[in-house]
Amino acid sequence: RMGQAIAAGIDAEAGMEVAGIWSRGGDLDALVGAADVVIDFSLPDGTLQVLDAVIRHGKPLVCGVSGLGDEHMQRIAEAATTIPVVYDRNMSIGIAVLTRAVRDAAASLGPDFDVRIAEVHHVHKKDAPSGTALKLGEAIAAARGEQGTGSVQFESERRGEVPGEHEVVMRSPTETLTLGHSVTTRQVFADGAIRAARWVVDQVPGRYRMSDVLFAG
């Protein structure tokens, strides 16, 4: 589904065209060789193959695959020494803005505020908390000088076909600050990836996030 959404988004973009869509058993090397930039929304196993191919061909990569483990992160770091890689657990532009906002809010409010992140996704999503919730929690914890997700509390709900909802609540005994983001269609992730693809082709080798796409420079 994401492949179709990305293809549809690229077709609507001036100056961009789809070089091809890879499926298991297809010729990945031929596709990567013909492309100026590769967008990966496959599965963790597929991502390892994609990383090998973009390293071989020296092509920029945008990766939005969720559920990646330590091996994937090591391979992404290795790839980023020779090619520019945009990797983010959420390709939404709004989430990039929300991440910056909650980081700034946490730094300003300090440690006296309790922080809770609630997220809702479709019933097919198995991981909880979501990668995006963890990304938000890590940004907040770092702003407060904590490790990992620090003292941030998480709530996860799986129902229906909800593409994604995240709410960050920062509460003290006297006031509450609430920041949130909701997605109405998964096309938003494709659109963010396409924006990242336009941006990454002009970058030097390195590891980038959506915040770099939006705010760098």
Side-chain angles (χ1 to χ4, degrees), residues 105-190:
S108 300
L109 296 175
D112 294 336
F113 280 69
D114 293 329
V115 180
R116 175 180 61 84
I117 299 176
E119 53 98 353
V120 183
H121 282 85
H122 51 85
V123 294
H124 314 290
K125 186 173 182 61
K126 304 304 181 186
D127 56 312
S130 68
T132 301
L134 294 173
K135 166 191 173 83
L136 293 166
E138 289 164 0
I140 292 165
R144 305 205 308 182
E146 300 172 347
Q147 299 294 314
T149 56
S151 57
V152 175
Q153 298 178 328
F154 297 92
E155 294 178 9
S156 299
E157 182 181 351
R158 299 288 174 264
R159 58 177 164 83
E161 296 295 330
V162 179
E165 298 176 1
H166 293 87
E167 182 180 69
V168 181
V169 180
M170 302 180 180
R171 180 177 288 115
S172 79
T174 55
E175 59 183 327
T176 299
L177 175 65
T178 303
L179 296 163
H181 177 268
S182 62
V183 172
T184 54
T185 168
R186 291 187 180 91
Q187 185 66 42
V188 70
F189 306 122

Side-chain angles (χ1 to χ4, degrees), residues 31-101:
L31 177 58
V32 172
D36 294 314
V37 58
V38 175
I39 300 175
D40 177 25
F41 271 97
S42 59
L43 294 169
D45 287 348
T47 294
L48 291 176
Q49 297 179 58
V50 171
L51 283 166
D52 286 342
V54 293
I55 290 170
R56 280 196 298 272
H57 293 275
K59 297 299 176 71
L61 173 67
V62 174
C63 178
V65 179
S66 60
L68 300 187
D70 291 341
E71 179 183 3
H72 301 89
M73 293 299 99
Q74 291 171 2
R75 293 289 285 143
I76 287 174
E78 176 186 335
T81 63
T82 59
I83 59 173
V85 179
V86 175
Y87 166 72
D88 210 305
R89 285 176 287 193
N90 191 311
M91 288 284 163
S92 158
I93 294 169
I95 284 293
V97 174
L98 178 62
T99 303
R100 170 175 275 207

Side-chain angles (χ1 to χ4, degrees), residues 205-216:
R207 158 80 187 275
Y208 303 98
R209 296 175 174 81
M210 283 303 291
S211 58
D212 298 307
V213 175
L214 295 183
F215 306 122

